[in-house]
């Protein structure tokens, strides 16, 4: 079979590995069971999970079998990686609901049928049954506190105060890998590079306890050319659930990425051939807009299907080209002046924000820039917030 590491490396995924030569040989010779973990801290996956799903699909398409670990148990502790404050603890009922939501979304990317069908497991099934004294005697004894304190995943939390509860997270994630090794023959853990310390701890634990090989591979984080994490807007995270982020908003997010990020996003997040991507991005001028359209359409199609991707594209072209249909918003307000309409339509969160935006010249009504805060809005008018938000207003 083709070696999936060549594919992942060529597209820019791989950041760190352990025992790389042995892993490369293994992935080229047999079907490998691997796992990636997802903490169910919300009822939807978001853009931050996107790369992991794409990487898993590359692995599965190459003949390897994914194990999707939902952190129902570890989520009740909370991953301290990159956090300045301790995460809010969730109830088992909330976690179980989030797990069901994840399963539905993942089925759009990962196959649960066939010879290498994906397996979904929830670490609550074994972590909640652990005897703590047995755990610290059998597992905790293999973790050096000195090494843990030097781990990057604890770096930010140490500045504000790391709780003993969170300090357990690394041994618990390491134990997950050991459990999956024993129960499912899993020999490889994948994840974002911010998880390197946790992932490496699990591979080392297997080699110590079982005296058998286990491997770790991390991927580059999805960041902008400025080093900021992608997937955030003024409204918050870009979700894969269309009730949280509409297909149009999802499309627009990718349509408006910086020119310098387009090639990386096409390589990491789509399945287009690399030579096609190189052709799309070879001109660093206004022709990059065509590449952005391809990026936005391909990703929206992956998440929401081709029909909704086509509709989102038509809406976006209408906003910028004056043809087609725009997204509509039905609002219910007593006064039809622009400020309360903007708030009711969700364009701004407060009257003050709407007033400041108008004063800064960031609002247009139909084709005219709005200067008067008492401008009247009529049904069918189109409100424009900057260059990215375009909504047709109707009144209830």
């Amino acid at each position: 079979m083709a070696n999936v590491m060549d594919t992942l490396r060529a597209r820019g995924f791989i950041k760190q590995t352990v025992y790389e030569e042995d892993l490369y040989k293994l992935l080229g010779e047999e079907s490998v069971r691997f796992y990636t973990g997802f903490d169910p801290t919300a009822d939807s996956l978001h853009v931050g999970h996107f790369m992991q799903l794409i990487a898993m699909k590359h692995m599965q398409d190459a003949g390897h079998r994914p194990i999707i670990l939902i952190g129902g148990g570890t989520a009740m502790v909370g991953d301290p990686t990159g956090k300045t404050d301790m995460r809010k603890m969730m109830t088992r009922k909330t976690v179980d609901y989030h797990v069901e939501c994840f399963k539905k979304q993942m089925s759009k990317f990962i196959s649960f049928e066939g010879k290498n069908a994906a397996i979904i497991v929830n670490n609550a099934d074994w972590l909640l049954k652990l005897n703590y004294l047995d755990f610290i005697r059998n597992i905790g004894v293999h973790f050096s506190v000195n090494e843990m304190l030097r781990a990057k995943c604890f770096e930010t939390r140490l500045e504000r105060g790391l709780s003993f509860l969170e300090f357990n997270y690394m041994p618990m994630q390491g134990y997950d890998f050991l459990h999956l090794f024993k129960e499912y023959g899993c020999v490889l853990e994948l994840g974002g590079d911010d998880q390197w310390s946790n992932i490496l701890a699990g591979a080392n634990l297997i080699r110590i306890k079982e005296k058998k090989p286990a491997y770790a591979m991390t991927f580059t984080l999805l960041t902008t050319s400025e080093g900021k994490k992608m997937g955030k807007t003024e409204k918050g995270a870009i979700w894969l659930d269309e009730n949280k982020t509409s297909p149009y908003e999802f499309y627009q997010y990718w349509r408006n990425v910086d020119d310098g990020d387009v090639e990386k996003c096409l390589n990491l997040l789509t399945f287009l051939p690399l030579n096609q991507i190189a052709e799309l991005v070879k001109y660093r001028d206004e022709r990059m807009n065509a590449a952005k359209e391809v990026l936005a359409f391909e990703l929206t199609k992956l998440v929401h299907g081709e029909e909704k991707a086509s509709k989102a594209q038509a809406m976006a072209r209408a906003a910028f080209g004056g043809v087609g249909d725009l997204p509509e918003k039905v609002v219910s307000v007593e006064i039809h002046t622009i400020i309360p309409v903007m708030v009711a339509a969700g364009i701004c969160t407060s009257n003050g924000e709407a007033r400041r935006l108008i004063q800064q010249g960031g609002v247009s009504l139909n084709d005219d820039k709005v200067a008067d805060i008492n401008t009247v809005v009529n049904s069918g008018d189109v409100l424009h917030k900057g260059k990215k938000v375009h909504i047709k207003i109707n009144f209830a």
Side-chain angles (χ1 to χ4, degrees), residues 1-292:
M1 63 179 69
N3 199 309
V4 70
M5 279 186 74
D6 291 331
T7 301
L8 295 173
R9 189 177 287 113
R11 301 189 81 99
F13 278 87
I14 298 176
K15 186 73 173 181
Q16 298 189 79
T17 59
V18 64
Y19 303 104
E20 183 172 343
E21 291 184 7
D22 292 342
L23 177 58
Y24 183 87
K25 183 178 179 181
L26 181 67
L27 290 170
E29 293 178 346
E30 60 184 83
S31 178
V32 170
R33 293 192 176 191
F34 67 96
Y35 98 90
T36 301
F38 297 85
D39 273 342
T41 49
D43 59 0
S44 171
L45 298 167
H46 53 71
V47 164
H49 299 116
F50 212 36
M51 266 187 61
Q52 311 305 321
L53 294 170
I54 299 299
M56 291 175 74
K57 182 166 175 56
H58 279 299
M59 291 283 291
Q60 188 177 46
D61 288 348
H64 306 292
R65 190 169 190 184
I67 300 172
I68 299 165
L69 184 142
I70 306 294
T74 41
M76 300 183 79
V77 172
D79 182 1
T81 304
K83 303 298 176 187
T84 57
D85 296 297
M86 192 170 80
R87 291 190 181 187
K88 181 180 178 182
M89 287 186 284
M90 296 180 293
T91 66
R92 179 68 190 267
K93 183 178 179 181
T94 299
V95 169
D96 287 346
Y97 172 68
H98 292 175
V99 168
E100 291 305 312
C101 295
F102 277 26
K103 286 180 181 178
K104 292 177 183 178
Q105 292 181 337
M106 288 177 175
S107 64
K108 297 178 181 179
F109 299 86
I110 309 301
S111 173
F112 293 91
E113 299 178 354
K115 186 172 65 173
N116 61 334
I119 303 166
I120 291 187
V121 295
N122 183 347
N123 65 9
D125 293 339
W126 57 85
L127 291 181
L128 295 184
K129 297 175 185 177
L130 282 177
N131 178 292
Y132 188 66
L133 286 177
D134 289 341
F135 179 76
I136 59 174
R137 284 174 61 87
N138 297 326
I139 303 300
V141 68
H142 299 295
F143 286 79
S144 162
V145 171
N146 289 348
E147 291 181 9
M148 290 173 69
L149 290 174
R150 288 195 293 268
K152 192 172 181 62
C153 62
F154 290 134
E155 193 174 87
T156 307
R157 291 292 289 118
L158 280 171
E159 297 172 4
R160 297 285 296 272
L162 178 71
S163 73
F164 181 70
L165 176 70
E166 295 167 291
F167 200 59
N168 283 268
Y169 192 90
M170 184 186 289
M172 289 171 69
Q173 185 169 331
Y175 182 75
D176 284 342
F177 196 174
L178 177 63
H179 177 87
L180 295 178
F181 176 87
K182 290 179 176 180
E183 296 296 319
Y184 297 95
C186 177
V187 297
L188 170 63
E189 181 178 358
L190 309 179
D193 197 53
D194 57 346
Q195 289 290 318
W196 174 246
S197 300
N198 293 331
I199 294 173
L200 188 60
N204 288 338
L205 182 63
I206 292 170
R207 288 174 176 263
I208 293 169
K209 296 283 290 182
E210 302 298 314
K211 311 299 183 187
K212 293 181 179 178
Y215 305 94
M217 184 190 297
T218 61
F219 303 129
T220 183
L221 300 178
L222 188 61
T223 59
T224 67
S225 52
E226 298 174 344
K228 297 178 181 178
K229 279 190 175 183
M230 297 190 79
K232 293 280 189 179
T233 67
E234 293 176 2
K235 294 182 179 180
I238 301 295
W239 302 95
L240 305 194
D241 183 345
E242 66 179 273
N243 295 312
K244 289 176 170 287
T245 300
S246 72
Y248 173 74
E249 291 172 315
F250 189 85
Y251 179 96
Q252 281 294 85
Y253 176 80
W254 299 108
R255 175 61 182 80
N256 291 305
V257 297
D258 289 340
D259 288 2
D261 298 322
V262 176
E263 184 174 10
K264 177 174 68 176
C265 289
L266 284 167
N267 284 333
L268 293 173
L269 303 178
T270 78
F271 296 93
L272 296 176
L274 292 176
N275 58 353
Q276 182 181 347
I277 293 171
E279 185 67 24
L280 281 168
V281 300
K282 70 179 182 179
Y283 298 109
R284 304 291 171 162
D285 53 26
E286 69 278 356
R287 284 170 284 189
M288 187 64 76
N289 287 323
K292 291 183 181 183

